[in-house]
Amino acid sequence: MPQNLSSVDLSAAETRLALPQRAKPYWHIHSPRTHLGYYKGSRGAAWYGRVFIGQGKYRQTKLGPGDGEHGLNFEGAVRALLAWAGDDGKDGAGAPAAGRRAKADSPLQPNRVDAISQAWAHERPDIDFWLAGFFLRIEHAHYLHDRRVQEIAKQAGTSVGDLHVLLALRRHGADAAMRPTDLYKQLLVTSGAITKRLDSLREQKLIARTAAADDRRSELVKLTRRGQAVADAAMTRITQLLEGIVRTSGVTRAELRQIDDGFRRLIAAM
């Protein structure tokens, strides 16, 4: 599988409009093997698709013109990408439900965790590394998800740490205020770290400070209208990305509930 790829969110027309011209397309990772590209040059823009075929190589095609009167929007480009990748038969992203189930039922290709397991099996055949490999996959999934959240934060003009604070405030209530101590306890960071993030957010005019009604010496923080808009847009985009991943994987909601139940029991035992 391709490694260390940076994914650009190309879903918004204003984001594409703001992209600088360059010789190579900007790539959006639609699935681990299927990528949607947007080229922006002096003579116009165009959508591209590519499929990972192994050993660091891709098969690439032009999908159609970019934004304009006769160009493709993001949804149209995704449909063109999936139709092309589906015809190729090398990527199940966006395929019909039966095709996704067939992909889910087929053996998965070995990945880096399998290589680690095999190495330990050779060095320590007395140890069953499967369980450690299972937790390594959870860790890797978190890493991949965090990369996507970092990209969303970057597009919002803030950092991923700052975005976590905005989301914590937003889920507390659009007009509600929180104490910094409650924030750092929820986010599992130090008081020094939360102070730096709050200072950064205030400079960006995403939060405002206010005195607590029950203690004028105690300070609270709350979202500004701009901060709420950033938090809401980010949460919507995160949800859309996760829904897309689940669709591509072919994993059903019932399977996800079973996995979630297992995770809850494991966490309770930790």
Side-chain angles (χ1 to χ4, degrees):
M1 289 292 176
Q3 298 292 332
N4 301 323
L5 295 176
S6 176
S7 180
V8 178
D9 185 0
L10 300 172
S11 60
E14 56 268 24
T15 299
R16 300 192 296 272
L17 184 64
L19 292 172
Q21 295 179 9
R22 71 177 193 182
K24 296 181 179 180
Y26 294 89
W27 291 104
H28 168 75
I29 301 177
H30 181 75
S31 78
R33 294 180 61 191
T34 311
H35 305 165
L36 178 65
Y38 188 79
Y39 167 78
K40 187 174 181 181
S42 59
R43 297 185 178 180
W47 292 99
Y48 284 82
R50 70 181 184 185
V51 173
F52 182 68
I53 58 176
Q55 298 181 344
K57 297 179 180 180
Y58 295 86
R59 195 176 70 83
Q60 182 171 311
T61 190
K62 184 177 180 179
L63 299 172
D67 296 296
E69 183 179 355
H70 303 292
L72 296 172
N73 60 16
F74 178 76
E75 290 75 16
V78 169
R79 287 194 294 270
L81 170 70
L82 298 181
W84 171 72
D87 289 342
D88 182 72
K90 294 182 179 295
D91 195 317
R100 291 199 301 271
R101 285 195 296 270
K103 178 184 176 184
D105 292 339
S106 64
L108 295 175
Q109 294 297 315
N111 58 25
R112 57 184 288 273
V113 176
D114 296 315
I116 293 172
S117 298
Q118 291 168 6
W120 275 114
H122 180 269
E123 293 297 323
R124 291 290 305 276
D126 58 309
I127 294 177
D128 181 4
F129 196 78
W130 182 89
L131 195 56
F134 171 78
F135 280 94
L136 272 180
R137 284 187 176 84
I138 298 173
E139 181 181 338
H140 189 58
H142 172 72
Y143 164 74
L144 295 174
H145 174 66
D146 193 57
R147 281 176 53 186
R148 288 175 169 85
V149 176
Q150 287 178 22
E151 182 62 31
I152 291 171
K154 181 180 178 182
Q155 291 167 5
T158 189
S159 70
V160 67
D162 290 355
L163 180 59
H164 284 313
V165 176
L166 294 178
L167 295 177
L169 287 166
R170 181 64 184 91
R171 65 176 175 261
H172 193 66
D175 298 320
M178 293 183 68
R179 300 179 192 274
T181 52
D182 294 330
L183 279 169
Y184 78 71
K185 289 177 182 178
Q186 281 195 21
L187 297 174
L188 303 178
V189 298
T190 66
S191 59
I194 202 68
T195 297
K196 289 181 180 179
R197 293 181 187 182
L198 293 177
D199 288 342
S200 172
L201 289 168
R202 185 170 59 173
E203 289 177 5
Q204 298 172 67
K205 295 181 171 43
L206 297 176
I207 64 167
R209 298 179 186 267
T210 183
D214 57 344
D215 184 357
R216 305 299 294 179
R217 296 170 298 177
S218 181
E219 188 178 70
L220 303 176
V221 292
K222 62 182 298 184
L223 292 171
T224 61
R225 288 186 178 180
R226 180 166 175 261
Q228 181 182 340
V230 169
D232 283 338
M235 197 64 243
T236 297
R237 187 61 187 138
I238 290 169
T239 301
Q240 291 171 343
L241 283 171
L242 293 175
E243 290 173 345
I245 291 168
V246 172
R247 282 196 303 270
T248 301
S249 73
V251 177
T252 66
R253 182 58 65 97
E255 290 172 324
L256 284 176
R257 289 195 182 100
Q258 187 175 8
I259 294 169
D260 181 63
D261 179 65
F263 281 159
R264 289 172 184 271
R265 291 158 63 188
L266 286 169
I267 292 171
M270 288 181 170

